Amino acid sequence: MNARLALLSAVTPGVAESEVFRLALQHAVGELGALGGMIHLRGPMSALRLVSTAGLPPTLTRSWEIVGQDGPLAPARALREGDGVWVPLSPAGATHSPDAAWPGTGLVALPLYSGNRGTGALSVLMDGHGEPGPGHWEFLRAVVSWTEDRMGQAPPPTGPVRPARQPEHHGERLRQSLKEVSVGSWDWNIRTGELIWDEAALELYGTLPQDYTGKVENWMRCVHPDDLPPTLAAVDRAIRTGGVFEAEYRVRKLDGTWGWTQARARPTFDEQGEPHRMIGVGWDSSEPRSARDALSRALRHMSDGFLAMDDDWRITFANLEAERTLGFSEEELFGCLLWDLPAAEQVPGLEIRCRQAAAAEKSVSFDVRLPNGRLCHLRLVPGPDGRTIYFTDVTERRRLEEERRSAERAATERAARIGELTAALAKATTSTDVVDAVARGVLPPFEASGLVVQTVEGDRLHTVGSVGYPDDVLAVLDGRERTQASPLWDAILAGTPLFLSTPQEFSAHYPELADLPARAGKQSWALLPLTASGHTFGICAVTFDHPRRLTDEERTLLTATSALVAQALERARLFDAEHTRSRELQRSLLPRGLPALPACTAAARYLPAGQGMDVGGDWYDIIPLSGGQVALVVGDVMGHGLPEAATMGRLRTAVHTLADLELPPDEIMSRLNDIVGALGEESYVTCLYALYDSTTRVCSIARAGHPPPALLHPDGTVVFPALSADPPLGAAEPPFETTEIKVPEGSVLALYTDGLVESSKREMDEGMAALAEVLRTAHTDGTVTDLERLCEQVTSALLPAGQQTADDAALLLARLHALPDSRIASWPLPKDPRAAGQARTLIRKQLAAWGLEALTPTTELLASELVGNVIRHAKGPLRLRLLHGAALICEVFDGSLTMPRIRRATETDEGGRGLQLITALSQRWGTRYTPTGKCIWTEQTLPTAPDAVPDAPREPAPDPLERMFLSLPGLGEDFDGDLDALTFGDQD
């Protein structure tokens, strides 16, 4: 025989079950080399209670104290399957698993039986060896068999030592017990496990009300582990036999000690004979006889009335309070039927309610009104040997409770009002918002009819807002000086509230304003000064259309409310001032108007963020450039406030400067990236720069973190060009990519910021799709012909007027126009001195074809100078181009990257005056880089026809060219305008 089994066999029968469990677990863990073990016993419901452990700390077993029999854990599975089971532990990191933090590999569990009925399970936690082998399984079954045998021979728990007593009749013993101790009643639903304890039972079984779950597991947790097995066996026996359950066991008290209790109950069965409920009582059985006598005297003299009755409702015991309330002595009450008492006969429905509770075998409590008008709270507790009734005079208690409830309701209503007002004031951003919040949150609760809020400005009062006052009265109140008699000024100067309850009281204090109450229709006033940061800056007047004397509580509430209003109004005034300054700054930084250009027709909108948001950094711009080009820009400085608006202004200026340098889009974005990077890490800017050339109908676009533009074609299709998604400015790494797209004549290009298409309720893709749909609809209904109307249609569709937005938005719509080929003339020129003469010939013919003969001399001279400079200082290829748009543009292209600059020539210098000549003859001129070199261009205003024929002939005004060269040698009044007859250094 195994040595450990031999040791177990040597244990003398009759040891306590706790010792049996301890020995079984110790030898099982030792034989298997396991980490620890535990034993669970089945409770009266589908739950297993942990009664013994070995080698396992409480931190691991705490979640295993109560195990559901239908659950997946090893003890439950072993009991269900009726055989040993091996359950691996949950993997590391598993959640909501009782064994997730356990060491080892798994649990082996075997069921425990008492006869043919499973009573529990023995479980062992294995180490790294894993599932036990056949020999270990055989050993565990032998240990389980020994445990079952010793459990059957274990003695019942020994109760406390008591003095010997004479045998008593059972009913008499119960009545005596009821007289001696506090009895707790309980009602257990055998099917659902629901357990109902009265207050005495909660105290008896050491359970706080907040810890009580109403399940039988509450009772299992408080029973001593050594006493639980026999007690559960007694419960099971009473249910199976239908007999009386009687047991004495230890329970844990509230102070953590163990005390003995007795319980007695009887099960009930339904119509099919199935056990349904068990109703019983319990009492403390650990006190000595002297203590019992003391408890009996306490019950006799306690302040609550107490009656004990048998099954026939005849009184078997009454204490002194019951005697006083019912008007009879205990001797007179003993044996009387409860319903025959005069006091009981005068309580309607008492007998019916008591009999219903007894028939249901369920405790019941209710209030009854006695004939003398007093209110009593009655509690009926049915038991196996009769009924008990507790009754308490609760007249004063109920009155105090009602007063307390009324006070609590009033406090709750006040707190709700203050909370609602506080929330409304917290949301208020402007002074008007504050007045509206006060009108909604203060006037209705106090049944007030008028409100005036004024602030001090200098020595006068200025009305911020009002409700319920005619204009003529407001005219009297507004602008009232400090020196004039006024209750408003008196409250402000005193810094304390002023309450006037009647018109007579108002007239007595302010006779010169005696007619004001009648004119305003007010008869009572609460004048509340508004003080913030120790400074009184205004007044809030709450008025009533009837005489009203406010209670102290109402005055306190209004005074507290005025403090909230003062803080909110002061904050709103600061916001109003800051908001006004920010808006003015932003308006000054955005374009005041869009230029009228031949290359595009444009309209734009800027929409600030919703109420409560500061100014943002969105901007747009149209920048006219040379050669029929135009730059379209839109950008967004993330955030709101003056710093963001200032950053937007700096960037807009930088874009203008860089665009005037005629840099390509990608280089402009690189320069902007450097500027934003120098501003600091907190700056976050997106930008899109589009360069449209009306001569080629090509739009070159570069962007940095910005949404792509929408392009509406003349046929109504809308596309979003596929652009390179470069990061925002300041975070990008140059170079930026430029995308070129061909734009049909009359197409509409829509540039926008993310605030137009994106919000907390809408993704950007959804917003872009909505924008495309609006543009298509506008093409269909013809709105696209009017860009101003189209702007309104887009903004109203994407940003409805009633919708609060968290971000500002900018929209720029541009209809792009191409310069017709008939208005463009371009020629290549040879790089030799004859090129200037060829240029003049070509210009003369082309301007004659365009009807611009008046500009021929000037244009020839400009072209001659530009071509001559290229021949002398630059390199080919050389090309001349004329553009006839809103102005006449003359362009000379060469292959050099050297830019010309104006110099101040001295009297002895032979050169250095060419660019000065160009400056004098052209409206404006400039240079720009090209992919093959550079371009120098000039622009001249087109001549206009005279409005009418003059009445008398007048001398024509001298041509600018003639004025300039009239005094030069060789040029005078005989000059006929033929520049080819002059020498420009271009002859061989």
Side-chain angles (χ1 to χ4, degrees), residues 68 90 322 646 918:
S90 300
I918 291 174

mmCIF file of all heavy atoms in Angstrom, residues 68 90 322 646 918:
data_model
loop_
_atom_site.group_PDB
_atom_site.id
_atom_site.type_symbol
_atom_site.label_atom_id
_atom_site.label_comp_id
_atom_site.label_asym_id
_atom_site.label_seq_id
_atom_site.Cartn_x
_atom_site.Cartn_y
_atom_site.Cartn_z
ATOM 1 N N GLY A 68 -19.946 28.581 -9.451
ATOM 2 C CA GLY A 68 -21.196 28.095 -10.010
ATOM 3 C C GLY A 68 -21.058 26.668 -10.533
ATOM 4 O O GLY A 68 -20.081 26.315 -11.199
ATOM 5 N N SER A 90 -5.877 28.964 -17.916
ATOM 6 C CA SER A 90 -6.059 29.922 -19.013
ATOM 7 C C SER A 90 -4.712 30.491 -19.421
ATOM 8 O O SER A 90 -3.806 30.640 -18.586
ATOM 9 C CB SER A 90 -6.988 31.053 -18.576
ATOM 10 O OG SER A 90 -8.249 30.539 -18.218
ATOM 11 N N ALA A 322 -46.665 46.977 23.836
ATOM 12 C CA ALA A 322 -47.885 46.421 23.241
ATOM 13 C C ALA A 322 -49.059 46.563 24.203
ATOM 14 O O ALA A 322 -50.189 46.876 23.786
ATOM 15 C CB ALA A 322 -47.663 44.959 22.868
ATOM 16 N N ALA A 646 -2.389 86.892 -36.965
ATOM 17 C CA ALA A 646 -1.168 87.607 -37.316
ATOM 18 C C ALA A 646 -0.274 86.761 -38.221
ATOM 19 O O ALA A 646 0.326 87.267 -39.183
ATOM 20 C CB ALA A 646 -0.419 88.008 -36.040
ATOM 21 N N ILE A 918 12.941 102.181 -70.404
ATOM 22 C CA ILE A 918 11.791 101.242 -70.369
ATOM 23 C C ILE A 918 10.821 101.647 -69.259
ATOM 24 O O ILE A 918 9.596 101.615 -69.425
ATOM 25 C CB ILE A 918 12.309 99.813 -70.170
ATOM 26 C CG1 ILE A 918 13.046 99.358 -71.427
ATOM 27 C CG2 ILE A 918 11.167 98.857 -69.836
ATOM 28 C CD1 ILE A 918 13.718 98.022 -71.277
#
